[in-house]
Amino acid sequence: DACSRIVATPGAVNQFDIANTPLNLAKETTQGIDIETSYRFNTADVIPGLEGTMAFRALATRFLKYDVDSGLPNSPIVERDGTVNLPNWRYSFQINWDNGPLSLTGIVRGISGGVINKLFIQCTTGCPTSIADRPTYDNQSVPAAAYIDLSATWRFGPERQYQLFFNVRNLTNKDPAIVAAG
């Protein structure tokens, strides 16, 4: 594509015109699977006397492939799946009970473990020399993590048009993995 933008100047010797227009050499290739399931039922059908509805929902995403190609000669294709920014798995499980004015929700959300960067080399003995594109680290793993969120909502007023809610994200105050940038 780039070479076709260089053409001989009509009527001139050893002169060329270069078409100066945008050219997109880069590309990203992705593959993955999204899974979702949910189930809702009347709570009284399972626990007599407890009014309302109970709902369960599970979501999961499995990244199979996420490659970034800059399109520049001799540049490596960067595999981002399974790295700190794109873990192989992302998931959430949610349970909700709603009886009209009161709604309670609990969510567990998480990510699988991975590595900082697939181009980095993890090595402890007899390691190759680090270079800019392929540095060597003794440990570049990032642990899996899960977080718990809770919320409660109280609806009131005419036709329950007002809401008072309470929400706690990351109930256990779990810090994400610390990963160096750059």
Side-chain angles (χ1 to χ4, degrees), residues 29-182:
T29 307
T30 63
Q31 289 180 343
I33 299 170
D34 292 325
I35 304 164
E36 179 177 0
T37 186
S38 61
Y39 185 72
R40 176 181 293 255
F41 59 91
N42 290 323
T43 314
D45 293 345
V46 177
I47 305 171
L50 183 60
E51 296 301 317
T53 58
M54 185 75 74
F56 297 94
R57 184 177 187 204
L59 302 163
T61 296
R62 171 67 164 110
F63 289 99
L64 300 173
K65 178 179 185 178
Y66 195 116
D67 295 343
V68 178
D69 182 354
S70 70
L72 299 174
N74 302 320
S75 291
I77 294 175
V78 179
E79 297 176 26
R80 293 192 54 214
D81 52 291
T83 63
V84 68
N85 294 320
L86 264 165
N88 285 326
W89 283 99
R90 286 187 182 170
Y91 61 87
S92 73
F93 303 102
Q94 177 177 330
I95 184 170
N96 174 265
W97 174 70
D98 190 334
N99 81 339
L102 179 63
S103 178
L104 303 173
T105 302
I107 300 173
V108 174
R109 56 190 168 86
I111 58 172
S112 62
V115 296
I116 296 171
N117 187 319
K118 286 189 173 182
L119 290 177
F120 295 177
I121 298 169
Q122 183 166 313
C123 182
T124 54
T125 59
C127 302
T129 303
S130 284
I131 58 173
D133 290 341
R134 303 209 25 108
T136 303
Y137 292 94
D138 61 346
N139 183 3
Q140 68 146 340
S141 63
V142 178
Y147 305 93
I148 300 170
D149 306 331
L150 297 176
S151 65
T153 303
W154 178 261
R155 292 180 284 284
F156 61 96
E159 299 179 29
R160 296 185 179 140
Q161 66 188 24
Y162 304 109
Q163 290 184 358
L164 181 63
F165 62 91
F166 176 77
N167 187 20
V168 177
R169 288 188 51 96
N170 192 7
L171 179 68
T172 59
N173 198 27
K174 180 179 176 69
D175 290 329
I178 296 174
V179 177

